[in-house]
Amino acid sequence: MSMSFERYMLDMVQPMRDDLTRLGIQELRTADEVEENVPNAKGTALIVINSVCGCAAGQCRPGVAEALNHSVQPEHLFTVFAGQDKEATAKAREYFSPYPPSSPSIALMKDGQLVHFIERHQIENRSAGEIAADLTDAFDKYCG
């Protein structure tokens, strides 16, 4: 892969990263960053598996943004980017058992344990508002 193509891909994907980081979601770019943050997050942590696909742009990221306007929120907010930060994504997915890898997807963890998970098939056939409602219900249940 040429350096110009890699630069192009980075430039193309940056706005997709910014959709989440501008909300205060911390990007985890390496497996080490995932290992340092995810299992050690006391309380609740939201982890968004970001993606370049249309359902990430049209439903997942807007749904997460809407959910983060809710009065009850997770204490920690993280994201990894599938297909871009491959090692970080693989490490994050180790915490999502028994769910198979899917992107985009959204995990809610409490004291290092998975308590709620939204798979790709639950994103691509729902609106951003429906995803936000799913998340805010989980926030009320686990983050309150």
Side-chain angles (χ1 to χ4, degrees), residues 93-107:
R93 285 177 171 154
E94 290 177 11
Y95 297 99
F96 306 155
S97 180
Y99 296 97
S102 71
S103 56
S105 57
I106 308 164

Side-chain angles (χ1 to χ4, degrees), residues 9-57:
M9 287 305 295
L10 289 173
D11 290 347
M12 215 174 99
V13 168
Q14 191 59 50
M16 299 173 202
R17 294 178 183 277
D18 295 345
D19 281 347
L20 295 177
T21 58
R22 74 166 180 252
L23 301 171
I25 300 176
Q26 180 184 349
E27 207 170 25
L28 305 176
R29 305 281 307 259
T30 67
D32 287 344
E33 288 178 356
V34 171
E35 196 62 33
E36 289 166 17
N37 287 280
V38 173
N40 299 317
K42 298 294 179 220
T44 52
L46 184 73
I47 305 161
V48 180
I49 306 289
N50 202 353
S51 171
V52 298
C53 72
C55 65

Side-chain angles (χ1 to χ4, degrees), residues 24 26 37-48 68 70-78 107-116 135-144:
Q26 180 184 349
N37 287 280
V38 173
N40 299 317
K42 298 294 179 220
T44 52
L46 184 73
I47 305 161
V48 180
L68 291 178
H70 191 56
S71 60
V72 178
Q73 296 182 21
E75 297 159 86
H76 308 278
L77 304 171
F78 303 119
L108 182 64
M109 302 184 73
K110 186 166 188 170
D111 296 324
Q113 299 299 310
L114 184 66
V115 294
H116 189 76
L135 286 172
T136 57
D137 287 347
F139 295 173
D140 287 341
K141 182 175 181 179
Y142 297 107
C143 303

